């Protein structure tokens, strides 16, 4: 086993020894079990080549003192390389091909404006401190906050920091800062047993791949079995900071974990587990656990100008001939996400998809904000949803019959409780047991057919309107009607267990659990009592 030492500040090519490090990772010819060491405080303006990590059981680590080493897809563009255009205050830089996607001004991400036809059309849309990228011609246009030369502009010039698609086993990446890639900072396919931990990632994505703007943090694709992503920090990611994603038929991903990550400001999903593409068949994602992550402002990132229903955590698979199974989303904290917990499994084979013990709270939801978006055969259990225009959104299936289930959840401070969308000709029955609905407005808003409700032993705030829905043969039987804004939760209420995860919730006004009956209902289950 060999340690390959690197330092991009040295003058020569180097030999890879500690006393004579390589200037670039491109010089590395690795063997199984080797270590690639990047120098702290240094900036590597390069993509780590696939050939440099073409071996089993590799480690990429930092060494020395100072800030984490930076691997960047960006280039700092000197003041003299910007050209003033005919549009007042707008400057141009020409990239060699479609490699751009994001820009920072003295380290702060600039506001992205999607390119529209030509500069004359787009320029009025670019604010001060903003940019637009003409992906067809590889041109970056900025409207600086200051004069050119008074700030440093770094432009994404490479699509990846790491791209590995060959079949190898074992890759540990620890203590590195990845920034400014325009596509996916790290994309791993067919690489098994990956450990990505204690890293940072900042300002990634925004490239137009020919049909859509994209950009993930770390993307684990087909064959990336056994990946562990933990104790990392992700900020300002165009799409999804962490994603397991399949694009092709007859492929799979299994055995993954994401835990104790901090995610702030992403354009789409904080953590994503999805099948996506065109008419996929025979593909499977299974045995993924996502737990104890802190996700903030999913769907709120100025680097993504398109309006999307960004979601804290999303599990998606719209293909009837594909499978999503044994996915556990537990004990995560979601703050100010446009939507909270979300599934799109209404047509696929889905088994064992569970969201348990998560807290999603917001004070700035958009008009269609939903704390939980439920479809397919999914279970939402003992979650706390605070805020949002709708606590729960449910979508009917386009084919088949599915049952999303709500057990022992607390839904607080939303405008309305449940909204449903059209889903005929299939049938979805939203089943609820032992939930607390403590909010204003009406209980139901039904926009279309294809969705039925079966809600028993619910507790609904007094004064909540139960009109606006045709229940049919199903029933809504509240066990208890809450008394008003000073309601105190009883033993076993999900609100009580939430108090251990999110400030602002207390066991009771007098610090005691409420022993009142009923023994069966929204407030009292043996399982929840055991957790307190």
């Amino acid at each position: 086993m060999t340690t390959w030492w690197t330092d991009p500040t040295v003058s020569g090519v180097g030999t890879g020894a500690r006393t004579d490090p390589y200037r670039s990772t491109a010089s590395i010819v690795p063997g199984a079990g080797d270590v690639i060491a990047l120098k702290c405080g240094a900036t590597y303006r390069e993509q780590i080549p696939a050939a440099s990590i073409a071996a089993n059981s590799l480690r990429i680590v930092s060494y020395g003192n100072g800030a984490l080493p930076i691997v960047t897809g960006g280039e700092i563009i000197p003041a003299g390389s910007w050209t003033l255009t005919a549009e007042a205050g707008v400057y141009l830089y020409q990239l060699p091909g479609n490699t751009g996607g994001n820009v920072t001004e003295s380290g702060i991400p600039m506001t992205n404006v999607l390119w529209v036809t030509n500069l004359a059309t787009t320029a009025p849309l670019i604010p001060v401190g903003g940019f637009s990228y003409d992906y067809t011609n590889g041109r970056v246009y900025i409207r600086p906050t200051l004069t050119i030369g008074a700030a440093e502009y770094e432009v994404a010039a490479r699509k990846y920091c790491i791209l590995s698609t060959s079949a190898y086993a074992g890759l540990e990446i620890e203590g590195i800062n990845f920034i400014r890639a325009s596509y996916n900072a790290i994309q791993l396919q067919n690489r098994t047993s990956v450990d990505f931990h204690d890293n940072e990632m900042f300002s990634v994505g925004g490239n137009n791949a020919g049909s859509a703007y994209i950009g993930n943090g770390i993307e684990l694709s087909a064959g990336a079995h056994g990946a562990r992503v933990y104790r990392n920090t992700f900020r300002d990611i165009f799409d999804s900071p962490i994603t397991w994603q399949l694009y092709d038929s007859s492929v799979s991903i299994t055995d993954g974990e994401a835990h104790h990550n901090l995610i702030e400001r992403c354009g789409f999903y904080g953590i994503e587990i999805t099948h996506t593409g065109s008419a996929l068949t025979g593909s499977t994602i299974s045995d993924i656990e996502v737990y104890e992550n802190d996700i903030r402002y999913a769907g709120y990132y100025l680097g993504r100008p398109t309006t999307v229903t960004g979601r804290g955590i999303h599990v998606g698979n719209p293909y009837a001939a594909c499978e999503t199974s044994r996915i556990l989303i537990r004990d995560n904290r979601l703050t100010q996400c446009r939507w909270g917990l979300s599934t799109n499994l209404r047509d696929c084979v889905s088994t064992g998809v569970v969201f348990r013990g998560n807290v999603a709270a917001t004070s700035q939801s958009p008009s269609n904000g939903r704390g939980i978006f439920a479809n397919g055969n999914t279970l939402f259990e003992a979650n706390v949803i605070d805020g949002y225009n709708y606590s729960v959104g449910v979508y009917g299936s386009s084919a088949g019959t599915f049952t999303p289930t709500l057990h022992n959840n607390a839904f607080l401070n939303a405008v309305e409780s449940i909204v449903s969308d059209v889903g005929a000709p299939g049938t979805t029955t939203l089943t609820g047991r032992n939930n607390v609905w403590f909010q204003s407005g009406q209980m139901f808003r039904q926009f279309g057919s294809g969705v039925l409700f079966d809600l028993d032993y619910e507790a609904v705030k007094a004064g909540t309107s139960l009109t606006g829905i045709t229940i049919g043969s199903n029933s809504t039987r509240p066990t208890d009607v809450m008394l008003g804004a000073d309601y105190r939760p009883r033993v076993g209420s999900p609100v009580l267990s939430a108090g251990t995860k999110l400030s602002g919730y207390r066991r009771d006004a007098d610090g005691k659990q409420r022993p009142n009956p009923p023994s069966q209902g929204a407030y009292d289950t043996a399982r929840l009592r055991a957790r307190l």
Side-chain angles (χ1 to χ4, degrees):
M1 295 184 292
T2 301
T3 296
W4 303 94
W5 304 91
T6 67
D7 181 352
T9 65
V10 299
S11 57
V13 174
T15 62
R18 178 92 187 237
T19 56
D20 186 26
Y22 281 138
R23 187 171 58 192
S24 168
T25 60
S27 300
I28 296 170
V29 182
D34 284 359
V35 177
I36 299 171
L38 309 186
K39 186 177 181 180
C40 285
T43 298
Y44 293 75
R45 296 192 180 279
E46 58 184 84
Q47 176 181 325
I48 297 176
S52 296
I53 57 173
N56 296 322
S57 303
L58 290 181
R59 297 180 66 216
I60 302 175
V61 301
S62 57
Y63 75 94
N65 299 317
L68 297 184
I70 294 172
V71 178
T72 179
E75 294 291 339
I76 295 174
I77 309 304
S81 297
W82 292 98
T83 302
L84 182 63
T85 69
E87 300 291 333
V90 176
Y91 291 79
L92 160 68
Y93 177 73
Q94 179 70 57
L95 281 164
N98 181 15
T99 58
N102 61 75
V103 182
T104 56
E105 183 180 52
S106 295
I108 299 174
M110 301 189 80
T111 301
N112 191 349
V113 171
L114 295 184
W115 181 255
V116 182
T117 309
N118 55 49
L119 181 59
T121 302
T122 306
L125 305 175
I126 304 175
V128 173
F131 81 98
S132 189
Y133 176 54
D134 175 3
Y135 53 88
T136 301
N137 298 298
R139 296 170 182 166
V140 177
Y141 295 90
I142 64 171
R143 192 185 296 276
T145 301
L146 305 171
T147 58
I148 290 289
E152 180 180 86
Y153 294 92
E154 186 169 3
V155 174
R158 284 173 289 278
K159 291 184 175 182
Y160 304 95
C161 295
I162 295 178
L163 172 63
S164 176
T165 60
S166 298
Y168 291 99
L171 175 63
E172 181 180 6
I173 303 174
E174 176 186 5
I176 314 296
N177 189 357
F178 298 92
I179 68 173
R180 211 80 67 241
S182 69
Y183 204 84
N184 301 325
I186 298 176
Q187 183 166 331
L188 302 173
Q189 181 177 348
N190 300 315
R191 188 112 201 183
T192 61
S193 302
V194 171
D195 262 27
F196 184 81
H197 65 94
D198 298 289
N199 302 288
E200 296 180 1
M201 192 172 290
F202 172 72
S203 190
V204 169
N207 185 263
N208 188 292
S211 59
Y213 290 86
I214 61 173
N216 296 317
I218 178 167
E219 179 173 306
L220 302 157
S221 191
H225 310 305
R228 307 287 182 263
V229 182
Y230 55 98
R231 295 198 307 263
N232 304 286
T233 297
F234 300 85
R235 290 186 172 95
D236 298 309
I237 310 299
F238 189 91
D239 272 0
S240 301
I242 304 171
T243 178
W244 283 268
Q245 198 162 131
L246 292 181
Y247 302 94
D248 303 306
S249 298
S250 303
V251 293
S252 66
I253 308 174
T254 189
D255 185 24
E257 290 182 5
H259 61 89
H260 296 97
N261 298 285
L262 171 61
I263 293 170
E264 290 188 318
R265 298 182 304 274
C266 60
F268 212 11
Y269 309 134
I271 298 178
E272 173 187 15
I273 304 169
T274 61
H275 293 68
T276 184
S278 178
L280 302 188
T281 59
S283 291
T284 301
I285 298 179
S286 63
D287 298 288
I288 307 292
E289 185 173 7
V290 175
Y291 60 97
E292 297 185 34
N293 299 282
D294 189 348
I295 303 174
R296 309 170 187 176
Y297 298 98
Y300 296 98
Y301 167 46
L302 291 177
R304 186 182 185 111
T306 50
T307 300
V308 296
T309 51
R311 308 168 194 194
I313 302 175
H314 178 71
V315 181
N317 180 358
Y319 305 106
C322 292
E323 180 179 348
T324 298
S325 60
R326 297 182 299 280
I327 309 296
L328 176 59
I329 313 296
R330 65 170 179 86
D331 300 310
N332 299 281
R333 173 173 171 160
L334 288 67
T335 307
Q336 307 292 22
C337 298
R338 290 178 69 95
W339 289 19
L341 309 170
S342 171
T343 61
N344 180 16
L345 301 170
R346 59 184 182 268
D347 293 326
C348 74
V349 177
S350 61
T351 58
V353 179
V354 178
F355 291 73
R356 176 180 294 135
N358 304 284
V359 176
T362 186
S363 61
Q364 59 177 45
S365 178
S367 59
N368 70 339
R370 301 162 191 216
I372 286 177
F373 188 60
N375 56 32
N377 294 321
T378 53
L379 170 63
F380 293 87
E381 181 179 41
N383 302 286
V384 175
I385 307 299
D386 188 352
Y388 292 96
N389 287 85
Y390 307 105
S391 288
V392 176
V394 58
Y395 199 101
S397 66
S398 58
T401 300
F402 297 95
T403 306
T405 303
L406 308 172
H407 282 176
N408 305 302
N409 301 283
F411 300 104
L412 314 170
N413 305 315
V415 177
E416 296 178 354
S417 298
I418 301 174
V419 59
S420 68
D421 297 317
V422 63
T427 301
T428 287
T429 301
L430 180 68
T431 300
R433 299 290 184 269
N434 307 315
N435 299 290
V436 175
W437 306 88
F438 189 69
Q439 53 217 332
S440 59
Q442 65 184 42
M443 183 71 184
F444 302 102
R445 181 178 298 280
Q446 187 170 3
F447 291 162
S449 61
V451 178
L452 301 174
F453 298 92
D454 179 13
L455 306 179
D456 287 345
Y457 309 111
E458 308 295 286
V460 181
K461 177 183 176 182
T464 299
S465 171
L466 300 179
T467 62
I469 183 172
T470 301
I471 298 175
S473 60
N474 297 287
S475 60
T476 301
R477 296 189 291 273
T479 299
D480 188 22
V481 175
M482 300 180 185
L483 300 178
D486 60 348
Y487 167 71
R488 298 178 180 182
R490 295 173 177 152
V491 173
S493 168
V495 179
L496 301 180
S497 59
T500 64
K501 302 182 180 67
L502 189 66
S503 61
Y505 298 109
R506 296 183 298 176
R507 285 176 173 244
D508 203 343
D510 57 8
K512 298 179 181 179
Q513 298 181 32
R514 304 295 288 181
N516 296 3
S519 59
Q520 179 184 24
Y523 320 104
D524 196 5
T525 69
R527 190 191 63 78
L528 281 173
R529 279 202 307 275
R531 291 182 59 189
L532 293 176

